[in-house]
Amino acid sequence: MSSINQKDNQFVWHPFTHLSSAENAIHIVKGEGAYFYDVDGNKLLDGISSWWVNLHGHCHPYISQKVNEQLHTLEHTIFSGFTHTPAVTLAERLIWHLPKNQSKIFYSDNGSTAVEVALKMTLQYFHNQGITKKKFIAFENAYHGDTFGSMSVGARNVFNNAFENLLFDVIHIPLPTSDNIDELNDTLEVWFNNHKDIAGFIFEPLVQGAAGMLMYEDKHLDELMSICKKHQVICIADEVMTGFGRTGRFFASEYLTQQPDIICLSKGLTGGYMPLGVTSCAQFIYDAYLSDDKTKTFFHGHSYTANATACSAGLASLDLMEKEETIEQILMISQSNHDFVLKHKSHKALKDCRSKGTILALEINTEEHTHYLNKASESIATYFLKKHIIVRPLGNILYLIPPYCITNQELKDVYAVIEGFLEQL
Ligand SMILES: *Cc1c(COP(=O)(O)O)cnc(C)c1O
């Protein structure tokens, strides 16, 4: 064992890692484009953009340069009573890309805090008007982060068993399908008429990431949102995973006719360079905080709110996102995924095969049911690692969410490995 691995075992506690069965962590020494290099000189393709954050690959020279310049100008400042150009420019440019009703950007540190801010912003929006509304609706299997509020709106599962009695009550509804949408619409109508205490509806638009890349239709979400809006229930789109081109459009919300009232962003926001979260909101939400009464202030903020270095990474990542080449790459990946699904949908080793934009998911047939702790996870990851591809299956769900710099040939090579994997099952 290398000395770094020894010290890693001695001093470090890794996230989402089963301590007694985990193999030594792979020691990465360099990143370049879609690849990592490990300490033994292996070149590994990052098939999952490092937990879905690295949009443009690793150590992109342009982002690195912009961050470097920022580091030599202004690395950070308190953001209450002070401001700086990167935060303002990033806010302006995000608002330009977001649905038309979005008008203000609130910064935080990561996806979980972006969700916490959304929940608190919603509750206090009503509180400031003297209205008591305390409940949220969320989807079954939802994942919104690991802090208490975001765990509460998430599914009750193995991730949060230990904290279950401390999580606040949430109404979880099934993902809409053609079969249940009418019933769901009716249920919501009845609830909203009988329970005036429902404040918000939070959802991962079109793709539920951590749940296993579960996909559902925009038109169904539109129907649910329109009922919420009719009853003044705040619609919160958690685009932490789906944002920045992942579903084929800039934001998944672009597929919708209805506009979310609040949108959460993180992950791809800085192209995987720096932790940063954003919660955007419509003007009417902001207006409920605009008052001579000081108790109506939104008392929320993090020490690192709107960190200038992180904002500069966000700006550089946006520059790349807006390039014609990137848009073409997103289309290329989306089309390739789509073709892959058509070709393999009925493969005998698969329960399902689906894609939305740059996200491809394969639900592998196993004796165990589909579940995050499905034992297939490790053997799938090991198989791909031997072929120098990094994946991190969600149980028996193998997925790809590659950096946009992956070439058509590299993508084909990965598909070929997947095909080989399916054949040997
Ligand atoms: C990852 C994720 C989060 C949490 O983000 P962190 O930065 O890991 O705290 C929230 N919502 C969704 C949809 C996510 O995929």
Side-chain angles (χ1 to χ4, degrees):
M1 200 194 302
S2 77
S3 74
I4 283 295
N5 275 125
Q6 258 165 25
K7 289 183 188 169
D8 187 54
N9 291 337
Q10 192 179 350
F11 297 117
V12 182
W13 191 341
H14 287 268
F16 281 96
T17 300
H18 183 232
L19 299 181
S20 72
S21 68
E23 309 237 347
N24 281 328
I26 298 164
H27 179 184
I28 302 294
V29 292
K30 182 178 140 109
E32 189 176 19
Y35 294 93
F36 280 133
Y37 294 82
D38 73 11
V39 72
D40 301 319
N42 293 310
K43 185 179 176 185
L44 307 169
L45 183 91
D46 186 359
I48 53 164
S49 300
S50 282
W51 254 350
W52 327 343
V53 300
N54 273 85
L55 297 183
H56 314 289
H58 298 281
C59 292
H60 193 289
Y62 179 77
I63 308 183
S64 298
Q65 182 208 329
K66 290 289 178 185
V67 168
N68 188 32
E69 284 167 16
Q70 187 61 44
L71 279 172
H72 288 90
T73 317
L74 173 70
E75 85 301 350
H76 178 68
T77 155
I78 173 176
F79 204 61
S80 181
F82 296 83
T83 196
H84 52 79
T85 310
V88 177
T89 315
L90 181 58
E92 181 187 20
R93 288 178 64 186
L94 286 172
I95 291 292
W96 190 85
H97 280 286
L98 284 161
K100 290 286 158 281
N101 67 335
Q102 298 298 295
S103 80
K104 289 285 188 293
I105 295 290
F106 193 98
Y107 286 106
S108 65
D109 298 346
N110 54 60
S112 303
T113 55
V115 169
E116 293 292 335
V117 168
L119 301 176
K120 287 176 70 174
M121 205 178 248
T122 301
L123 295 174
Q124 196 180 336
Y125 161 77
F126 289 112
H127 180 85
N128 280 0
Q129 301 172 78
I131 303 169
T132 310
K133 282 195 176 198
K134 295 234 152 83
K135 276 240 155 78
F136 286 96
I137 296 179
F139 282 129
E140 286 169 5
N141 297 309
Y143 177 78
H144 294 291
D146 296 335
T147 50
F148 269 86
S150 61
M151 278 196 293
S152 293
V153 286
R156 301 292 177 273
N157 57 23
V158 62
F159 290 0
N160 51 48
N161 272 343
F163 320 108
E164 195 169 348
N165 54 3
L166 291 173
L167 303 182
F168 58 74
D169 270 347
V170 167
I171 304 165
H172 283 106
I173 60 173
L175 270 198
T177 63
S178 316
D179 292 335
N180 71 7
I181 183 69
D182 291 337
E183 195 187 325
L184 265 180
N185 286 340
D186 293 345
T187 310
L188 285 192
E189 276 288 356
V190 171
W191 266 337
F192 293 156
N193 283 320
N194 294 328
H195 304 278
K196 300 292 180 196
D197 61 340
I198 300 175
F201 168 39
I202 183 166
F203 50 85
E204 296 158 84
L206 312 194
V207 186
Q208 288 187 304
M213 302 297 165
L214 302 182
M215 300 174 188
Y216 63 104
E217 286 189 50
D218 44 36
K219 63 174 188 207
H220 294 146
L221 182 55
D222 260 327
E223 288 187 43
L224 300 177
M225 285 172 74
S226 92
I227 298 172
C228 287
K229 296 215 158 202
K230 196 170 105 193
H231 292 272
Q232 284 81 49
V233 170
I234 303 297
C235 292
I236 306 168
D238 177 354
E239 292 236 26
V240 169
M241 191 278 288
T242 53
F244 303 99
R246 282 308 180 186
T247 65
R249 300 210 181 151
F250 207 100
F251 293 113
S253 297
E254 282 176 31
Y255 289 94
L256 301 170
T257 316
Q258 297 291 329
Q259 295 179 334
D261 303 304
I262 296 181
I263 298 178
C264 307
L265 304 173
S266 186
K267 291 212 165 98
L269 176 60
T270 66
Y273 267 67
M274 302 283 295
L276 186 67
V278 149
T279 309
S280 71
C281 72
Q283 185 66 34
F284 77 93
I285 306 242
Y286 183 84
D287 287 345
Y289 292 79
L290 207 53
S291 159
D292 293 335
D293 180 351
K294 284 197 172 167
T295 66
K296 292 190 177 174
T297 304
F298 190 41
F299 290 106
H300 187 105
H302 303 277
S303 321
Y304 283 93
T305 294
N307 175 265
T309 314
C311 290
S312 77
L315 283 168
S317 177
L318 264 191
D319 289 343
L320 297 180
M321 274 304 295
E322 289 167 358
K323 285 198 155 174
E324 199 57 48
E325 300 138 63
T326 310
I327 296 163
E328 278 165 15
Q329 279 293 103
I330 290 172
L331 287 176
M332 180 278 287
I333 300 168
S334 302
Q335 187 61 48
S336 309
N337 282 345
H338 183 76
D339 295 344
F340 183 96
V341 170
L342 287 183
K343 189 164 163 205
H344 296 290
K345 203 161 178 59
S346 20
H347 195 289
K348 61 180 187 330
L350 295 176
K351 265 197 200 117
D352 190 33
C353 182
R354 50 187 177 260
S355 78
K356 183 80 196 170
T358 67
I359 308 165
L360 172 69
L362 294 86
E363 192 172 340
I364 313 287
N365 255 324
T366 56
E367 271 169 34
E368 272 180 87
H369 62 99
T370 296
H371 187 251
Y372 181 78
L373 293 183
N374 189 304
K375 283 196 283 296
S377 173
E378 282 94 24
S379 54
I380 301 171
T382 308
Y383 181 95
F384 281 82
L385 193 58
K386 285 204 179 113
K387 312 274 182 193
H388 290 186
I389 298 167
I390 296 176
V391 293
R392 194 184 150 89
L394 294 153
N396 54 319
I397 294 170
L398 164 66
Y399 67 89
L400 285 183
I401 180 163
Y404 301 148
C405 60
I406 194 168
T407 65
N408 189 248
Q409 188 56 50
E410 287 165 337
L411 198 54
K412 283 193 177 129
D413 293 345
V414 177
Y415 290 159
V417 173
I418 297 179
E419 284 161 0
F421 169 74
L422 293 178
E423 284 317 310
Q424 53 88 51
L425 283 176

